[in-house]
Structure formats: structure tokens, C-alpha cells
Amino acid sequence: ISKIDTPALKADAINGTLIADNAINSEHYTDGSIDTAHIGDSQVTSAKTSGVGGLVKITSGSVSSGDAYVALTNKFSSTYKIYKIFLYDWNTSQDSEVRLRWLTGGSGNVESGSNTYFVAGSGYNTSGGGSSWQAQSDYMRIAGEDVRHDSDEHFAWEGTLYNPAGTTLKKRLVFAGGGRRTGNYTFSAHGTGEWNSTTAITGVRIFTSSGTFDSLSYAIYGVVN
């Protein structure tokens, strides 16, 4: 048979079980030739875990003006060994530090024990000064400067969290970000931190040292590897 016209085929006459792996390669289809209506949930799930796209969105959203923090519970699991966290449009009612704590367990227990977070970072600002920092505290400071609260300013940040569900090794966070500091200079922030425990991490709590959020948007992705 050299050709079968589509009118001769009934709906669902050919399904995935009748097509061998690699039977159709990319040169035999064009953009738009397969639409999402013909892809089932199982195929989508397979694509998410087989490397298609590289990043799988876990959650995204924003806080309401006046919120003191955002707690993102049950976002990390053993599904992915690496997670990307993005924070942007960060603006607060007062100049303040940017901070986070990890959440554990299904109900999102806040981990805040004394001297349990270790962090070291480096940065520079447009006044020609450095903004390096280090700390052992009950929270993780993720920038070396206080973020300026002017209505048109915002802080942006991204972090990579490694193997949060593991229980053998401590958790490692590597990050980079930047914003406008209290002294009205733009600054950079690069660093790393760890939580002094091997307990599995399930979420993150994001907050400021003072005041409340005027705005904050966030997104978390799992990295397919």
C-alpha cells in the first residue's frame, strides 16, 4: 500500500500500540502536523520525564500586597534531583534583607533552628564597593545588600537546589541575583548555602527582614536529567 487517505481511516484507528518505536522520524512531519488534541496524558507524562524541554514547571504565582511571606509547601520531591527557583518583581514596603527558610514534611514545617543555615556570597555595586557576606543563622540570607523599597525598584533572583529529597547528604543551594540597594546603587549577589541537616526538604518559605511585600512573583521548575 503506497498511500492511505485520511477519510479512509476511522477515528483512533491507529494508536500508539500499533506504531513501533522510531517508526516515524522528524523528516516525515511538519510543524503543526500533530496537535495536542491527539496526544494523551500518558504521552505528555512521558515527555516530561524523558528530557523534552529540560524544565518542568512545578508551580508559579505571586503574593498579595501586604503579605509578610510566602510558603510554598510540597514543591520538592524525589521526582527530580535538581530544582530551579525563580523570584522576581520583589518589592517591599521597607528596605530589607531577602531571606528564605526550608520547609519539611507534608504540612510544611518551618526549619529555623539556631545556626542551622550556612551561607557565603559575593557581590559588587555601582558605587565601586563590594557586598560580600557570610553568616550562620536561623535563616538563609540570599543577597548581601538590603533591597531598596522604592515603588519602581525590584529584586530578581534565581537559585538551584540539589537533591532536596535525599537524606544522606546536606542540601546545597547555589544562587545569583541583583537589585537596587539602600544606598541607591545597583548590586549583584552570587553565593551558596546549605542547611545543616540531611532531612528531606519539601518546600520553601520566602520572606523579608522587615515590612511586607508590595509585590513578588515566583516560579519553581524541576530539571529533567
Side-chain angles (χ1 to χ4, degrees), residues 108-123:
N109 301 316
V110 181
E111 299 298 336
S112 59
S114 177
N115 295 322
T116 57
Y117 292 93
F118 295 74
V119 63
S122 63

Side-chain angles (χ1 to χ4, degrees), residues 66-132:
D67 287 349
Y69 66 90
V70 57
L72 305 177
T73 60
N74 295 317
K75 305 307 178 187
F76 308 130
S77 69
S78 60
T79 302
Y80 304 100
K81 291 294 184 69
I82 304 172
Y83 286 83
K84 296 290 291 185
I85 307 168
F86 296 94
L87 307 175
Y88 59 100
D89 291 346
W90 179 308
N91 185 273
T92 54
S93 62
Q94 300 177 24
D95 292 7
S96 59
E97 291 182 9
V98 290
R99 300 175 173 181
L100 64 78
R101 288 186 175 116
W102 300 127
L103 306 178
T104 60
S107 58
N109 301 316
V110 181
E111 299 298 336
S112 59
S114 177
N115 295 322
T116 57
Y117 292 93
F118 295 74
V119 63
S122 63
Y124 207 66
N125 60 57
T126 52
S127 72
S131 55
S132 298

Side-chain angles (χ1 to χ4, degrees), residues 1-91:
I1 299 174
S2 61
K3 181 179 180 181
I4 300 176
D5 292 329
T6 52
L9 296 176
K10 294 182 179 179
D12 302 320
I14 300 177
N15 57 39
T17 62
L18 300 175
I19 302 175
D21 291 344
N22 303 316
I24 304 175
N25 58 38
S26 58
E27 68 184 61
H28 292 104
Y29 59 82
T30 59
D31 291 344
S33 60
I34 301 176
D35 61 50
T36 56
H38 297 92
I39 302 175
D41 290 343
S42 61
Q43 286 89 343
V44 172
T45 301
S46 176
K48 285 183 177 181
T49 57
S50 63
V52 177
L55 297 178
V56 178
K57 186 164 75 172
I58 307 302
T59 189
S60 63
S62 60
V63 303
S64 298
S65 179
D67 287 349
Y69 66 90
V70 57
L72 305 177
T73 60
N74 295 317
K75 305 307 178 187
F76 308 130
S77 69
S78 60
T79 302
Y80 304 100
K81 291 294 184 69
I82 304 172
Y83 286 83
K84 296 290 291 185
I85 307 168
F86 296 94
L87 307 175
Y88 59 100
D89 291 346
W90 179 308
N91 185 273

Side-chain angles (χ1 to χ4, degrees), residues 135-216:
Q136 294 177 224
S137 185
D138 66 343
Y139 62 87
M140 192 176 295
R141 183 174 183 176
I142 57 175
E145 303 274 13
D146 287 2
V147 174
R148 192 174 180 87
H149 78 281
D150 293 5
S151 61
D152 60 346
E153 298 291 352
H154 80 99
F155 176 72
W157 180 93
E158 63 178 85
T160 306
L161 175 61
Y162 295 91
N163 198 16
T167 57
T168 302
L169 304 175
K170 297 175 183 177
K171 311 305 177 291
R172 174 63 53 187
L173 176 71
V174 179
F175 57 83
R180 180 82 67 163
R181 57 169 279 182
T182 295
N184 206 26
Y185 302 108
T186 293
F187 70 88
S188 62
H190 302 82
T192 185
E194 72 177 22
W195 177 47
N196 193 31
S197 174
T198 60
T199 301
I201 294 170
T202 57
V204 61
R205 178 184 174 108
I206 303 155
F207 62 106
T208 68
S209 60
S210 60
T212 59
F213 284 107
D214 289 334
S215 64
L216 169 66

